[in-house]
């Protein structure tokens, strides 16, 4: 049986490490795992990264449209086919990121719930959203160590993003809050504690 697992969190939450650890663990159990990332490396995803790094900055509506276009393609060409094959999809970011990040631009005039609603007709609901939550300062410290620095990473914005994730977690039953300020091994253990029960009756 297929499983759709999504990692979410502010920048520097440690998603990529946890994706790798979880994928290896599931593969060790003989499951076929499809790792996906949004924004993708398709045309819309590339445009988003390019404009975030090198400008000129995207308008709020333009940015939302690109994330939605990127996601529609990802859902149709990657997510749905993998789930139909009974694979485990582990995806780094999904529409909860759009709902957490894009409403931080007031000119968009949309709440996180409004952005979720834009997906209700076509985006499959994950079996679990593994929300790696940690204080903004801790996330930014990790991002800075990585040497990254783009328009997405300013502190006040990250704070608003975290608050939006908190609101989304409160109203989305499949959200699992994980304390990502712990060492990576402890985070991985908490992720596994959330995922393992979902495997019962879900053999490939
Ligand atoms: P990326 O370099 O992939 O960041 P990370 O490694 O932290 O995931 O850039 C993705 C950035 O795009 C990240 O800051 C979050 C943001 N984002 C949105 O604003 N909306 C979205 O819908 C998605 C998927 C990402």
């Amino acid at each position: 049986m297929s499983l759709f697992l999504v990692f979410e969190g502010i920048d520097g939450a440690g998603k990529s490490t946890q994706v790798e650890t979880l994928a290896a663990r599931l593969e060790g159990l003989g499951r076929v795992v499809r790792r996906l990332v949004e924004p993708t490396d398709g045309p819309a995803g590339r445009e988003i990264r390019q404009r975030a790094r090198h400008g000129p900055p995207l308008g709020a509506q333009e940015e939302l449209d690109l994330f939605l276009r990127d996601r529609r393609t990802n859902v149709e060409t990657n997510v749905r086919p993998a789930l139909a094959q009974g694979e485990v999809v582990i995806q780094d970011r999904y529409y909860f990121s759009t709902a957490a990040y894009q409403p931080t631009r007031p000119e968009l005039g949309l709440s996180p719930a409004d952005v979720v609603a834009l997906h209700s007709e076509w985006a499959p609901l994950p079996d679990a959203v593994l929300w790696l939550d940690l204080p903004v300062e801790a996330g930014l410290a990790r991002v800075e160590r990585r040497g990254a620095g783009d328009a997405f990473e300013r502190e006040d914005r990250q704070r608003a993003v975290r608050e939006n994730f908190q609101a989304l977690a409160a109203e989305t039953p499949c959200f699992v809050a994980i304390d990502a300020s712990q060492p990576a091994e402890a985070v991985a253990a908490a992720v596994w504690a959330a995922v393992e029960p979902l495997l019962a009756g879900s053999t490939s």
Side-chain angles (χ1 to χ4, degrees):
M1 207 183 83
S2 63
L3 208 50
F4 184 17
L5 306 173
V6 168
F7 281 92
E8 292 284 3
I10 59 170
D11 297 359
K15 291 181 282 83
S16 39
T17 307
Q18 296 303 326
V19 167
E20 289 314 310
T21 306
L22 179 60
R25 210 154 186 175
L26 288 164
E27 281 165 353
L29 292 177
R31 299 298 306 249
V32 177
V33 176
R34 180 86 58 111
R35 274 167 258 200
L36 300 173
V37 183
E38 289 185 2
T40 72
D41 59 6
R46 282 202 308 271
E47 173 81 4
I48 291 165
R49 287 179 202 280
Q50 167 78 13
R51 297 285 290 270
R53 285 186 191 140
H54 306 294
L58 288 165
Q61 186 63 49
E62 201 180 6
E63 182 183 68
L64 175 67
D65 291 344
L66 280 170
F67 277 117
L68 287 170
R69 193 185 327 149
D70 188 45
R71 181 161 304 121
R72 277 185 187 276
T73 307
N74 185 41
V75 164
E76 292 317 316
T77 55
N78 301 319
V79 178
R80 287 195 190 279
L83 294 175
Q85 300 273 349
E87 296 177 10
V88 179
V89 173
I90 304 181
Q91 183 160 299
D92 186 337
R93 298 197 182 281
Y94 192 37
Y95 63 79
F96 309 96
S97 278
T98 317
Y101 283 80
Q102 274 55 65
T104 64
R105 302 189 67 171
E107 66 272 35
L108 191 62
L110 295 179
S111 70
D114 293 333
V115 174
V116 168
L118 293 177
H119 294 83
S120 62
E121 304 275 301
W122 56 275
L125 189 67
D127 294 290
V129 176
L130 303 153
W131 171 40
L132 303 187
D133 185 40
L134 81 177
V136 165
E137 296 73 19
L140 284 173
R142 290 186 190 168
V143 172
E144 276 153 23
R145 263 205 303 282
R146 232 166 35 205
D150 63 34
F152 287 111
E153 288 165 2
R154 271 176 258 111
E155 186 167 342
D156 49 348
R157 179 152 197 242
Q158 293 297 312
R159 231 175 275 291
V161 170
R162 187 182 184 205
E163 280 166 22
N164 288 339
F165 275 128
Q166 281 161 342
L168 288 163
E171 62 203 28
T172 315
C174 64
F175 254 67
V176 182
I178 292 171
D179 175 4
S181 64
Q182 309 173 87
E185 302 71 43
V187 177
V191 167
W192 190 244
V195 171
E196 198 178 21
L198 301 176
L199 297 172
S202 160
T203 47
S204 55

